[in-house]
Each structure stands twice: as structure tokens, then as C-alpha cells.
């Protein structure tokens, strides 16, 4: 598996590095560079599997309420 995470918030998006593991762990800091206040209510994290031939597969998605992180 070639897994990575995409973080999305307030129109900004960043990817982590790709981990070649069946049990990947990311110890990475992601700065999405947005200002507060914002109209976005959620930070979205998508875990994907890199697939060069057919396009990347979504493994899972979680939406975290921004207010819970303030």
C-alpha cells in the first residue's frame, strides 16, 4: 500500500508524504495557512492509496469540526 493523507480546510489543501506500509503512521506537521475567522466548519482528512494506473483510491474520510480544535 502507498498511503498518504490530504488535509483540506478553508479552500487550502496539503498532502503528506507517501508511506509504503499496511499500517502507516504520519508524524508530520501540516500548515494549511488560513486566517480565523473563517466560514469553513470542518477540517477534512482523506486517506488515499496511490494508484498510478487508475487514479488514487480513497481509503477513508473524516471531517473534524473546526470549533473542536480552537
Amino acid at each position: 500500500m502507498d498511503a498518504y493523507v490530504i488535509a483540506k480546510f478553508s479552500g487550502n489543501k496539503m498532502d503528506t508524504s507517501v508511506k509504503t506500509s499496511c499500517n502507516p503512521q504520519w508524524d508530520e506537521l501540516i500548515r494549511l495557512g488560513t486566517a480565523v475567522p473563517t466560514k469553513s466548519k470542518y477540517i477534512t482528512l482523506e486517506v488515499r492509496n496511490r494508484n498510478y494506473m487508475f487514479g488514487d483510491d480513497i481509503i477513508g474520510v473524516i471531517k473534524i469540526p473546526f470549533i473542536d480544535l480552537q
Side-chain angles (χ1 to χ4, degrees), residues 19-34:
K19 303 290 184 179
T20 53
S21 169
C22 289
N23 189 20
Q25 294 182 5
W26 291 272
D27 295 322
E28 299 179 28
L29 177 66
I30 295 177
R31 294 181 187 261
L32 292 172
T34 188

Side-chain angles (χ1 to χ4, degrees), residues 6-57:
I6 298 175
K8 299 178 185 177
F9 180 69
S10 189
N12 296 314
K13 175 172 103 166
M14 288 204 61
D15 298 0
T16 64
S17 60
V18 175
K19 303 290 184 179
T20 53
S21 169
C22 289
N23 189 20
Q25 294 182 5
W26 291 272
D27 295 322
E28 299 179 28
L29 177 66
I30 295 177
R31 294 181 187 261
L32 292 172
T34 188
V36 176
T38 180
K39 292 182 181 180
S40 296
K41 294 182 181 180
Y42 298 97
I43 294 174
T44 303
L45 301 175
E46 295 180 3
V47 180
R48 294 184 174 224
N49 182 40
R50 178 93 29 174
N51 187 330
Y52 295 102
M53 198 170 241
F54 300 108
D56 297 350
D57 302 314

Side-chain angles (χ1 to χ4, degrees), residues 4 7 10 43 54-55 58 67-68:
Y4 66 99
S10 189
I43 294 174
F54 300 108
I58 296 176
I67 197 150
D68 290 351

